[in-house]
Amino acid sequence: MIKIANAPCSWGALEFDLEEKSEEIGFEQVLNEIKETGYIGTELGDWGYMPTNPTQLRTEIEHRGLELLGAFVPVALVDVTKHDDGVLAALKVAELMYNAGYKNAFIVLADDNGTVPERTQNAGRIESSMGLTDAQWIDYAHGANRIAKTVKDAFGIRTVFHHHCAGYVETPQEIDKLLALTNPKLLGLCLDMGHYAFGGGDPVEALKTYSERIWHVHFKDFDPEIAKLSKQANGDYFDAIKRGVFCELGKGGVDFKAIVALLHQLQYDDWIVVEQDILPGMGNPKNCALSNRDYIKTLGL
């Protein structure tokens, strides 16, 4: 049975080093509102956002009748000098989830998004000249494989890669390249519908193309008109988010009806995580979470 979760990023708790961090909503309120709006699971959020003591973490999650199903770990994989730190960061998160009893949760590995100026400035409009060299791709894939293998060997926890705008794996072509260079037994794909659309692809086609590598799914919508306005203003990735490029589900360009039908056809039987990335202090996250949950119910989930 497909299960529906939400994540702290829908409340503005993001991994980026932002001035708005002081406006972040506390994890207790986020977990309460995830529960109150009809979801049954959550992701961990940035390290330190939720308790890092496994007993306390388990208590907070269980108290609300939720499950913990994954944790986002950003690593600058293009830089081989950052791989050791990436391994340690992933192991630290995996150990926390394992000791808290969430042994089926995923490490959601991603690039250190938003840290490369050219990629951040041109999110959603990446040109081939802005990509990695063949040698850099080898280093990048090696780092991803190494992290996934180390975590699996240590805790039996699986790793999925989250393609993401403002990182080096954004476009369909870049996702193809990474998957071709990584071990399908070690590294799955976290298909994020909104980021795939923002990166220039059709999420329905992605679901067909990568079906055997998709171990985890994020439901995020994408408003192409907002992206166009941001582009006209020469806005970067964060400008697009601030304008609301990741809108409420059903209000953007992602064909969720087709996606749900295909998920059923593929016999996908795991979590869907709703993510509506916003910056701290933006909008009314609880209302959006409720609207998103209501929309998913119209899809039969």
Side-chain angles (χ1 to χ4, degrees):
M1 183 180 74
I2 293 175
K3 297 160 285 189
I4 310 298
N6 210 311
C9 61
S10 300
W11 277 257
L14 301 173
E15 70 275 10
F16 306 108
D17 185 16
L18 300 168
E19 292 180 5
E20 296 94 339
K21 276 281 188 181
S22 61
E23 297 184 60
E24 273 190 353
I25 298 171
F27 81 87
E28 299 96 333
Q29 180 180 340
V30 169
L31 290 179
N32 288 340
E33 294 185 358
I34 285 176
K35 175 68 173 179
E36 291 164 5
T37 50
Y39 300 88
I40 60 173
T42 183
E43 291 190 352
L44 186 67
D46 195 19
W47 178 263
Y49 178 69
M50 290 194 196
T52 55
N53 175 282
T55 302
Q56 186 183 357
L57 177 63
R58 181 88 190 187
T59 298
E60 295 287 355
I61 302 270
E62 277 195 336
H63 173 66
R64 295 163 175 89
L66 300 173
E67 287 287 327
L68 179 67
L69 48 131
F72 196 83
V73 178
V75 180
L77 291 165
V78 71
D79 184 351
V80 293
T81 68
K82 301 290 179 64
H83 288 187
D84 286 349
D85 288 342
V87 168
L88 293 176
L91 285 172
K92 178 174 66 174
V93 173
E95 183 177 26
L96 172 62
M97 295 192 296
Y98 182 90
N99 288 339
Y102 301 106
K103 300 176 183 179
N104 293 321
F106 289 106
I107 291 293
V108 183
L109 178 65
D111 201 347
D112 193 8
N113 306 300
T115 60
V116 179
E118 184 179 48
R119 300 290 299 207
T120 305
Q121 178 60 45
N122 294 284
R125 44 189 189 269
I126 294 297
E127 299 175 5
S128 58
S129 61
M130 302 172 187
L132 302 177
T133 66
D134 287 343
Q136 287 175 317
W137 271 117
I138 296 298
D139 289 339
Y140 198 106
H142 173 74
N145 274 331
R146 180 184 165 201
I147 289 169
K149 185 177 189 308
T150 304
V151 167
K152 186 177 181 181
D153 288 348
F155 299 105
I157 285 177
R158 295 189 295 167
T159 298
V160 289
F161 188 87
H162 188 322
H163 58 97
H164 201 290
C165 292
Y168 277 116
V169 181
E170 171 179 325
T171 69
Q173 295 77 19
E174 290 166 341
I175 297 168
D176 285 343
K177 184 77 170 179
L178 180 67
L179 293 182
L181 291 172
T182 50
N183 186 339
K185 294 181 180 179
L186 287 177
L187 190 72
L189 178 67
C190 172
L191 179 61
D192 185 299
M193 307 305 173
H195 278 286
Y196 197 84
F198 196 5
D202 177 355
V204 177
E205 292 304 311
L207 198 50
K208 296 175 183 176
T209 301
Y210 309 126
S211 58
E212 294 186 1
R213 291 289 290 270
I214 295 169
W215 300 349
H216 198 41
V217 171
H218 284 176
F219 266 23
K220 182 186 279 104
D221 211 342
F222 162 73
D223 189 329
E225 292 304 314
I226 294 292
K228 188 183 299 183
L229 288 173
S230 183
K231 179 180 179 180
Q232 290 170 353
N234 197 33
D236 64 4
Y237 175 66
F238 298 105
D239 174 79
I241 292 181
K242 191 174 293 185
R243 292 171 183 266
V245 73
F246 296 128
C247 55
E248 290 182 17
L249 300 183
K251 296 185 177 180
V254 176
D255 188 351
F256 286 103
K257 290 182 180 179
I259 286 167
V260 169
L262 192 51
L263 286 171
H264 286 314
Q265 183 181 324
L266 295 169
Q267 297 183 313
Y268 181 80
D269 187 25
D270 214 311
W271 289 94
I272 289 172
V273 184
V274 174
E275 291 191 342
Q276 188 181 350
D277 295 7
I278 60 170
L279 299 179
M282 275 181 63
N284 190 317
K286 184 178 182 180
N287 285 353
C288 289
L290 183 59
S291 175
N292 289 331
R293 188 66 190 95
D294 288 343
Y295 174 75
I296 290 176
K297 288 176 182 176
T298 70
L299 303 175
L301 297 175

